[in-house]
């Protein structure tokens, strides 16, 4: 009983982060997909580099880059 409020607060925070990241990911995926399908070479390369970077680096390294900056 003592820790239930803290656990519930953590659960709410976790669910909020999941919802926010899902919505932002869905919104970001549309222009990235359009860019990848474009016939314009520049419009293809930028999303390709974005996807290549985020799929090719470990999540911990990405977190450090975001937290500590470039």
């Amino acid at each position: 009983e003592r820790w239930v409020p803290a656990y519930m607060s953590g659960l709410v925070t976790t669910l909020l982060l999941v919802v926010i990241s899902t919505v932002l990911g869905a919104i970001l995926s549309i222009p990235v997909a359009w860019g990848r399908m474009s016939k314009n070479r520049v419009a293809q390369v930028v999303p390709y580099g974005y996807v290549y970077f985020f799929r090719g680096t470990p999540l911990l390294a990405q977190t450090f880059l975001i937290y500590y900056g470039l």
Side-chain angles (χ1 to χ4, degrees):
E1 291 180 16
R2 178 179 175 189
W3 300 106
V4 171
Y7 284 134
M8 295 312 284
S9 174
L11 177 64
V12 169
T13 301
T14 300
L15 292 176
L16 183 63
L17 287 173
V18 167
V19 168
I20 289 171
S21 64
T22 301
V23 169
L24 289 178
I27 291 170
L28 185 63
S29 69
I30 294 169
V32 170
W34 280 341
R36 290 287 289 146
M37 295 185 305
S38 173
K39 294 182 193 266
N40 183 350
R41 187 72 174 152
V42 175
Q44 286 180 348
V45 170
V46 172
Y48 176 80
Y50 171 80
V51 171
Y52 183 81
F53 173 77
F54 281 103
R55 286 183 65 194
T57 58
L59 184 58
L60 183 61
Q62 294 171 16
T63 305
F64 284 160
L65 282 174
I66 292 169
Y67 186 74
Y68 294 114
L70 297 174

